[in-house]
Amino acid sequence: MEPVVFAAERFGFYTPFFELLTDGLIHKTYKVTANNRAAILQQVNTNVFRDINAVVGNYQLIDSHLERSGMLRVPAMIKTMQGDDTWTDKEGSCWRAFEFIANTYTEALPASPEKIFSAAKCYGQFTSSLSGLDIEKLKPTIASFHDLSHRYRQLQTAISNANDERLKKSRTLLEKITIRKNLVEFYESLKSNPEFKIRAMHHDTKLSNILFDKATGQAVCPIDLDTTMPGYFFSDVGDMIRSMISPSDENAPADSVEVNPEIYRAIVSGYESGIGNSFTTAERNEIHKAGMIMLYMQGIRFLADYLSNNTYYKIKYAEQNFDRALNQITLLEKLEEFLDA
Ligand code: GN1
Ligand code: MG
């Protein structure tokens, strides 16, 4: 029997029909259906999310806060038949389940500027709806997750331990990263400036993490809240820019990446309309740095993983993390040209 079937039964879905929805770089996500009930079942990567209690606790905190604010709802968690939040199988994989919101679907790239605007607005509303939440209660589920200085240091460590061949192949990319160290300095300057607030950020704002309504085509809510934790202004709008401005994603060949100006504008204006006056003037003024920071950080993360022999991101072929890093830094160069013009 497939592990997903065992897991589904623990959550009360017997002899389910199941389909793999996304095989993300970190988790596996399934839709399971039994007796006309559907749920989302997820196998959590506990090497990445070591503190599953923090993940679950954050989700419950967010869900109940949003319920009270009445603006936006996220899928409810489903408990196991024993009343637990998660279930660990005999291979040690941790599983949890969520309500499947009927009449919703996810979009893939390329998507229209209208769809992207709606998604961006929804991510903005998510953070603004959580503005009343005591940020101290939200736990960092991955330490220093979008800490650019930390990511830069990880790359330096990876460089010192890398083999010569990988290092040689990475030389040009590493130069491009080094000459953009001003982004790390900008990040450092944020931390001591009270104009830049720490608030609840989703931290993984790809298009496929938004549910859309089948009838209206409008965004309903963000999903995949595992990395929702305290963060700075650039993370969500920046990760949208990073993951949506090019018609092809981070796995595409670097020579195929390009900036779609209409999409860029849809992200920024959609996000601004969603976040409303939760953003300070300083944050509003620096919004165009967001995409650059996130492309830079993701390029660094992929390259560091390549230099460390691919221990973090799933790969389909040996050089894939190098190619992903090249894709992200190429898109960064194109974004800089676009913003300069
Ligand atoms: C990971 O697993 P997935 O695809 O949702 C990563 C993100 C990266 C993304 C790049 C916990 O997200 O930070 O932006 O890959 N999540 C984690 O595709 O590291
Ligand atoms: Mg994710």
Side-chain angles (χ1 to χ4, degrees):
M1 203 155 47
E2 297 262 359
V4 56
V5 176
F6 272 114
E9 294 190 344
R10 294 272 113 33
F11 290 91
F13 291 77
Y14 298 99
T15 52
F17 171 79
F18 69 89
E19 56 184 308
L20 181 64
L21 292 183
T22 54
D23 201 351
L25 297 184
I26 309 292
H27 297 319
K28 273 192 173 161
T29 307
Y30 299 85
K31 180 181 176 186
V32 295
T33 315
N35 297 324
N36 294 320
R37 268 176 75 222
I40 296 294
L41 200 60
Q42 220 173 24
Q43 184 182 18
V44 185
N45 182 331
T46 43
N47 286 323
V48 171
F49 292 96
R50 291 174 181 275
D51 185 357
I52 193 73
N53 292 328
V55 172
V56 170
N58 281 356
Y59 200 95
Q60 285 159 342
L61 196 69
I62 293 165
D63 185 19
S64 56
H65 187 87
L66 290 176
E67 187 175 9
R68 279 196 302 277
S69 75
M71 291 175 66
L72 194 135
R73 288 306 312 277
V74 290
M77 272 180 58
I78 298 174
K79 289 191 190 282
T80 66
M81 298 305 280
Q82 273 73 40
D84 298 321
D85 296 318
T86 60
W87 177 69
T88 304
D89 66 22
K90 59 179 192 310
E91 271 76 51
S93 293
C94 180
W95 294 84
R96 75 250 169 88
F98 298 99
E99 142 200 35
F100 181 84
I101 302 185
N103 301 315
T104 60
Y105 68 99
T106 54
E107 279 275 346
L109 292 176
S112 67
E114 292 74 28
K115 279 269 146 43
I116 303 262
F117 179 94
S118 180
K121 184 174 172 185
C122 187
Y123 279 124
Q125 283 171 332
F126 177 68
T127 290
S128 66
S129 308
L130 292 171
S131 62
L133 182 72
D134 177 3
I135 197 70
E136 299 287 320
K137 290 193 179 145
L138 207 57
K139 300 277 179 304
T141 53
I142 298 177
S144 309
F145 189 49
H146 279 188
D147 177 337
L148 188 56
S149 307
H150 165 74
R151 296 302 182 182
Y152 196 87
R153 282 193 301 273
Q154 276 188 325
L155 178 63
Q156 306 311 312
T157 310
I159 293 170
S160 0
N161 300 325
N163 78 40
D164 289 345
E165 202 186 321
R166 286 184 184 219
L167 213 46
K168 195 165 155 224
K169 176 164 172 167
S170 307
R171 194 171 299 147
T172 312
L173 260 186
L174 286 169
E175 276 165 19
K176 291 183 179 183
I177 289 170
T178 310
I179 57 171
R180 289 174 173 81
K181 217 190 154 190
N182 60 304
L183 288 170
V184 182
E185 283 144 23
F186 173 74
Y187 173 77
E188 277 303 310
S189 73
L190 293 183
K191 296 201 294 188
S192 53
N193 185 342
E195 281 293 293
F196 294 95
K197 308 280 182 213
I198 293 178
R199 45 170 94 69
M201 283 284 158
H202 183 284
H203 287 107
D204 190 14
T205 54
K206 46 176 77 85
L207 185 59
S208 58
N209 278 339
I210 287 284
L211 293 182
F212 286 91
D213 186 313
K214 273 188 185 159
T216 64
Q218 296 296 306
V220 176
C221 65
I223 52 172
D224 190 3
L225 306 188
D226 300 338
T227 52
T228 301
M229 58 176 136
Y232 286 108
F233 82 100
F234 61 81
S235 284
D236 287 3
V237 66
D239 200 51
M240 270 181 273
I241 294 167
R242 179 192 81 74
S243 61
M244 299 182 202
I245 49 167
S246 183
S248 50
D249 72 4
E250 63 207 18
N251 293 306
D255 59 11
S256 73
V257 308
E258 58 193 21
V259 175
N260 180 324
E262 250 192 304
I263 298 287
Y264 185 88
R265 290 187 202 107
I267 295 170
V268 173
S269 59
Y271 195 74
E272 282 176 332
S273 78
I275 196 86
N277 50 23
S278 290
F279 260 11
T280 64
T281 309
E283 290 166 332
R284 229 171 270 283
N285 289 342
E286 296 292 4
I287 203 159
H288 296 293
K289 285 228 174 64
M292 292 196 284
I293 295 174
M294 288 311 301
L295 277 164
Y296 185 65
M297 178 155 22
Q298 195 64 54
I300 287 177
R301 291 177 66 194
F302 283 141
L303 192 59
D305 199 34
Y306 171 72
L307 292 173
S308 316
N309 306 320
N310 312 308
T311 56
Y312 192 85
Y313 293 111
K314 282 186 215 155
I315 51 169
K316 294 205 170 93
Y317 60 91
E319 305 293 293
Q320 190 167 17
N321 276 323
F322 176 85
D323 291 346
R324 287 169 174 154
L326 183 62
N327 168 306
Q328 298 288 282
I329 300 299
T330 307
L331 189 53
L332 171 59
E333 294 176 309
K334 299 225 165 146
L335 177 60
E336 289 167 349
E337 280 167 30
F338 166 71
L339 292 172
D340 280 345

